[in-house]
Amino acid sequence: MLNTLITRFYLFLLVGLYACQPAFAQSNNEWMSNKASAFLQARVNNTIHWQAWSEAAFAQARREQKPLFVSIGHQRCSWCEAMNKGAFADMETGAYMNAHFINILVDSDMHRDISRAIESFYQEAKGLSGFPMNMWMTPEGIPFVTRFFLDTKAQSSHESLLSVARGINKEWKNNAHIINTKAQALKVFLEKKRAEKQKQIFPVTAKTIEDYQNRLGRRYLSGQQLDIDNLAYVDPATLYFLLNSNDEGALLALTILAKLSNSALYDHLEGGFFKAALDTNWLKPVFEKDLITQSLLADVYITAWQNSAHEPFRHIAESTINFVLKELASGSGGYYAGFKEKEDNAAAGFYVWNVKRLHAALPHPIDRDLAKQRYGFVVNHASDFSSLHVRRSLESLSKIFTLSPVEIKRQMGDINQALLTHRRSDPAPTLIREIHPLGNALFLRTLAKAGETLQSKTYRDIAETLAEKLTRTDTPVHPLNQRQYAALISGLLATYSANGQQKWLLKADDLMEQQITRLWDPDQGCFNDYEDALWLLTCNFDDGHTIAASSLNLENLFILHHEYNNSSYLRYAMTLGANAIDSAEGQLKQIPYALMLYAPLLKSGQRISLITHKGAHWQAR
C-alpha cells in the first residue's frame, strides 16, 4: 500500500512546479476560446466548468476542500474527442462535476512539461500510458484515483465518468480525514527518503558524457521513437549538446540537421519549421508553425553553420528567421505565437498537394516532372496527397534532365515561386494573434545571435528594437515566471554580445537580481515560480522539446559571473548545476543543455562531482 502511495505521489513531485500559470478569471469556459489551442477551443461548450492548471485552481481546492479532477488530452486523440462529445457534453455529468470538484483541463501539446510528468506517473502507477489521462487529486495535489477513457454511461468495457465521480465524492465525504492522514504520513516518509538520497554522490566524468554522446544521435539516424502523443519531435537541446561535444558528436548533429532540412518538417517554399511529425522519418508533419520552434531551430542551424561553414545551413537559418519577420510580425514590435491547424484540418490542405492542385500550379509538364523528382511527389491519382520533402539534390536533377546546375537552380526557383503563389491563393491556416513572452524572448536570442554570427546589421537592429519592447515594464510581455526570465535574460545577453552596448548587460543583470529576489528557493536550490509553494517541490531540468528554464538560467549565471566576476552568481550556478545532475540520476538524456555547459570543464580531465544536501554544491576536480 505504501509503495502505491509513493508511486501516486511521484506525479505531484514532478508537476507541482507548473501550478503557477495565470489565474483563471472567467465564470465559464470562454477563457478557452482565446487560447492558442484547437483542443481547448473545441471544448468551450462542455458542460463541465474547466479551469487552467494554475495556482488559483489549487488554492480554490484547498479553500473549499474539494478534490481536483484533472483531464489531459490532445487534438489528435480519438478517445479524447469521444469524451468531448460524450461525458463532457452530458448535462447531468457536468452539473455533478461542477458541484463536487475543481475541474482542470490541460492540452498536452500546449503543456508538454505537465503531460510528460503525468505520463511518467501513469507508467509507474499503472504500467502503461495513453490519452486521455483523467485523475483525481487531493486539494494538496496528491493523486489518489487515475483512469483513462470514461464514457457517458457505464458500458461492459468502460466505466462512466458520472459513476466514478459519485463513488469518489462519497469516499471523500466519508473518509477525507483518512486520505489526508495517509497523505501526511507519506509526506513524512518521502521527506526522510529524500534526506537519505541527498547524502549520495553522483559523479559525472568526461567518459560518462562521451559514452552518452556516442549513443545519442542514433535514435535520429535509425528512426527515433514516437512520443506519448504519437508525435516525433526535434530536440534542440540535444542538438546543441552534440554540436558542442567532440568531432563524432558534431558530425552526428550535422547529419541529423541535414536530414531535417530535407524532410517535410521544413517548409521548402516559405521557410520555417512545423513543430512535429506523425512519423519518425518526419514526412507527415503536424501543420503548425509556432514561434518557439522557429526560434530554437534557427538558432541550432546558426550554430551548425558556424561549426561547419556549410552554406545550406545558413540558408535554412535565414529563411526561418525571415519567415517569422514577414509572417508573424504583429506591427507593434512583437511577434505572434504562430500558425495552427484548424479544427477541420484545413491547414493540411494548404500545405499538401494532389494531382489537381499540382496541375493548377504548374501547367507545364516539364515543371511538374522537375517538381516530382525534386520533392518526391506521389500524386498519380486524385486521392493521392503529398507533403514536400527533398528527394533528389539539384546536382542529381542536373544529370537527370541534362541541364546545367545554374539552369536547374533557376528553374527550381521559378517552380517554388509558382507553388508558393498557388498555395497563397487558398485559405491560409489560422494565425494565433497572441504575443507570448517566452516565444518573443527566445526569438530575441536567435535574432541577436544571427546578427553577430552572420554579421547582419539588419538582424542586430531588429533585435535591439525587440529588446527595447521586451524590457519596457508596461509591456504585456514583461517576464512573470522563471521560463520567461531565463529566456529574456539570455536574449539580452545575446544582444549585448552582438552590439556591445553595455545597457543590455545591465538590464540582464537587473533581471537576474530580480529573479533571484522573487523566485530563488534556497531550500530547493533552484528557481521556484510559487509564491504560496506546495511542499516538496523539485527542480525541473528536463529539456524535453525545448530548453528547460533551469538550463538557460545556468548558462545565464555562468555568463554574468564571467562578465562581472560576481562570486554570488557562481555560487548560484554551482547549486543549480548540482541539482541538474541530481535530477537526472543517471538519465543524462534529460539534461543535454546543462551537460553542454559542463563539457568544457570535462575536456581538461576534470570531474563534476555532486554532493547533495541542503545548500548543495557543485565541484570541478
Side-chain angles (χ1 to χ4, degrees):
M1 182 64 181
L2 185 59
N3 288 336
T4 301
L5 288 172
I6 291 171
T7 301
R8 288 177 175 174
F9 186 74
Y10 176 64
L11 169 66
F12 171 67
L13 297 182
L14 290 172
V15 304
L17 283 172
Y18 300 99
C20 56
Q21 303 298 323
F24 174 86
Q26 289 89 336
S27 59
N28 52 42
N29 290 336
E30 275 304 307
W31 67 277
M32 297 195 297
S33 65
N34 300 320
K35 293 297 179 182
S37 163
F39 175 80
L40 294 180
Q41 290 177 354
R43 286 150 179 80
V44 169
N45 295 322
N46 284 174
T47 58
I48 295 177
H49 170 201
W50 295 114
Q51 298 195 38
W53 182 282
S54 64
E55 175 56 26
F58 280 83
Q60 182 183 350
R62 292 193 296 270
R63 186 171 61 251
E64 299 179 9
Q65 281 302 294
K66 288 182 178 179
L68 297 114
F69 171 66
V70 180
S71 184
I72 302 180
H74 61 84
Q75 184 67 1
R76 296 163 303 284
C77 163
S78 58
W79 288 111
C80 302
E81 182 60 19
M83 287 199 71
N84 177 37
K85 295 181 177 179
F88 292 165
D90 183 67
M91 295 296 293
E92 184 181 7
T93 301
Y96 194 87
M97 297 297 293
N98 296 336
H100 299 290
F101 304 103
I102 305 301
N103 304 297
I104 293 176
L105 185 62
V106 177
D107 180 355
S108 170
D109 288 339
M110 298 295 291
H111 296 286
R112 298 199 55 75
D113 39 21
I114 298 174
S115 181
R116 277 175 169 268
I118 292 177
E119 172 200 357
S120 297
F121 165 71
Y122 265 70
Q123 287 175 336
E124 189 166 352
K126 303 178 77 71
L128 68 165
S129 60
F131 286 105
M133 294 184 283
N134 296 302
M135 58 188 299
W136 280 263
M137 304 170 73
T138 69
E140 287 70 36
I142 306 174
F144 63 96
V145 173
T146 59
R147 293 290 189 276
F148 290 109
F149 173 74
L150 291 168
D151 216 331
T152 309
K153 298 186 182 300
Q155 308 288 337
S156 58
S157 57
H158 298 294
E159 299 173 286
S160 77
L161 174 58
L162 183 58
S163 63
V164 174
R166 282 173 171 162
I168 290 171
N169 182 52
K170 180 179 179 181
E171 185 70 15
W172 179 258
K173 296 293 185 185
N174 295 334
N175 297 309
H177 63 290
I178 296 177
I179 296 173
N180 285 321
T181 298
K182 289 180 179 179
Q184 290 303 315
L186 175 62
K187 175 183 175 181
V188 172
F189 175 82
L190 287 173
E191 286 174 335
K192 181 179 178 181
K193 185 174 181 180
R194 183 171 182 175
E196 292 174 353
K197 173 186 169 184
Q198 288 176 339
K199 297 175 182 176
Q200 300 176 39
I201 297 178
F202 302 96
V204 177
T205 66
K207 187 176 187 309
T208 307
I209 293 184
E210 184 179 358
D211 290 344
Y212 164 64
Q213 161 249 302
N214 287 337
R215 300 191 308 267
L216 193 57
R218 294 187 179 91
R219 67 192 179 97
Y220 284 103
L221 301 178
S222 62
Q224 61 184 127
Q225 296 296 310
L226 293 175
D227 211 325
I228 181 176
D229 52 4
N230 292 321
L231 294 179
Y233 292 85
V234 180
D235 294 337
T238 298
L239 294 171
Y240 281 120
F241 169 70
L242 289 171
L243 284 168
N244 287 279
S245 60
N246 59 21
D247 290 345
E248 183 180 354
L251 182 59
L252 279 172
L254 296 176
T255 305
I256 293 165
L257 289 168
K259 174 185 174 182
L260 177 62
S261 64
N262 287 333
S263 76
L265 275 188
Y266 177 67
D267 186 344
H268 297 277
L269 301 183
E270 199 168 28
F273 288 89
F274 303 109
K275 74 173 187 178
L278 299 169
D279 67 311
T280 56
N281 291 316
W282 297 327
L283 298 179
K284 300 175 182 178
V286 174
F287 294 107
E288 298 180 8
K289 299 171 78 173
D290 64 285
L291 180 58
I292 291 176
T293 297
Q294 313 314 314
S295 302
L296 291 173
L297 289 181
D299 196 12
V300 171
Y301 273 95
I302 292 169
T303 304
W305 174 79
Q306 193 174 19
N307 288 8
S308 67
H310 186 52
E311 282 303 310
F313 288 160
R314 176 176 181 144
H315 168 73
I316 295 289
E318 290 177 332
S319 68
T320 302
I321 293 171
N322 292 340
F323 162 75
V324 174
L325 295 177
K326 182 177 181 181
E327 302 298 331
L328 299 183
S330 68
S332 62
Y335 296 87
Y336 290 132
F339 289 95
K340 68 175 182 180
E341 285 187 299
K342 294 183 178 179
E343 192 174 342
D344 59 1
N345 205 32
F350 184 77
Y351 290 113
V352 301
W353 299 84
N354 60 9
V355 170
K356 181 178 179 181
R357 200 174 187 219
L358 185 62
H359 278 249
L362 302 174
H364 299 297
I366 183 64
D367 289 340
R368 289 198 298 273
D369 289 343
L370 267 170
K372 287 180 180 181
Q373 290 291 332
R374 172 66 167 167
Y375 292 125
F377 278 116
V378 182
V379 288
N380 300 316
H381 305 286
S383 59
D384 291 337
F385 288 86
S386 182
S387 300
L388 298 188
H389 60 279
V390 173
R391 179 189 176 196
R392 298 187 187 278
S393 67
L394 295 179
E395 292 78 7
S396 296
L397 293 179
S398 178
K399 294 177 181 178
I400 293 171
F401 290 90
T402 62
L403 296 170
S404 71
V406 173
E407 182 62 18
I408 280 290
K409 186 175 181 179
R410 185 194 66 77
Q411 281 198 233
M412 280 309 308
D414 292 342
I415 287 169
N416 285 347
Q417 186 57 53
L419 292 171
L420 180 59
T421 299
H422 185 81
R423 189 172 84 175
R424 285 176 173 169
S425 68
D426 292 332
T430 302
L431 176 63
I432 307 166
R433 296 181 180 274
E434 296 181 19
I435 300 178
H436 291 167
L438 178 61
N440 276 265
L442 289 173
F443 188 55
L444 169 64
R445 181 175 181 264
T446 299
L447 271 175
K449 183 175 177 179
E452 179 178 17
T453 307
L454 307 182
Q455 298 183 339
S456 168
K457 183 178 183 301
T458 299
Y459 289 157
R460 287 199 302 271
D461 290 346
I462 297 172
E464 188 163 354
T465 300
L466 182 57
E468 292 282 5
K469 177 179 177 61
L470 295 178
T471 52
R472 283 172 38 204
T473 55
D474 61 336
T475 180
V477 291
H478 199 62
L480 299 173
N481 59 49
Q482 64 159 322
R483 296 180 73 195
Q484 295 166 13
Y485 270 113
L488 181 53
I489 292 168
S490 182
L492 293 174
L493 290 173
T495 304
Y496 165 67
S497 180
N499 63 25
Q501 293 185 23
Q502 196 75 11
K503 68 177 182 178
W504 302 120
L505 178 62
L506 293 173
K507 287 188 176 185
D509 183 45
D510 287 344
L511 281 173
M512 180 59 79
E513 292 288 354
Q514 184 184 123
Q515 182 185 205
I516 289 171
T517 300
R518 283 189 57 204
L519 302 180
W520 182 260
D521 183 339
D523 293 329
Q524 300 297 324
C526 64
F527 293 100
N528 169 13
D529 289 325
Y530 283 95
E531 292 183 2
D532 178 20
L534 298 178
W535 51 278
L536 281 178
L537 293 174
T538 57
C539 305
N540 174 43
F541 285 87
D542 188 351
D543 287 313
H545 307 307
T546 177
I547 301 174
S550 295
S551 297
L552 273 183
N553 269 320
L554 181 61
E555 181 178 46
N556 295 336
L557 286 163
F558 277 136
I559 294 172
L560 288 169
H561 164 67
H562 174 76
E563 292 291 337
Y564 286 105
N565 195 25
N566 185 329
S567 60
S568 67
Y569 282 154
L570 183 59
R571 286 196 299 272
Y572 285 118
M574 287 179 171
T575 304
L576 209 52
N579 278 304
I581 300 297
D582 185 29
S583 73
E585 292 186 59
Q587 298 297 315
L588 299 186
K589 65 181 180 180
Q590 295 176 347
I591 56 168
Y593 200 83
L595 285 178
M596 178 191 75
L597 303 175
Y598 300 154
L601 290 172
L602 297 177
K603 284 180 180 178
S604 62
Q606 296 177 355
R607 182 169 75 100
I608 293 175
S609 177
L610 173 72
I611 305 174
T612 54
H613 52 74
K614 188 169 289 189
H617 63 280
W618 173 85
Q619 297 175 328
R621 297 176 180 174

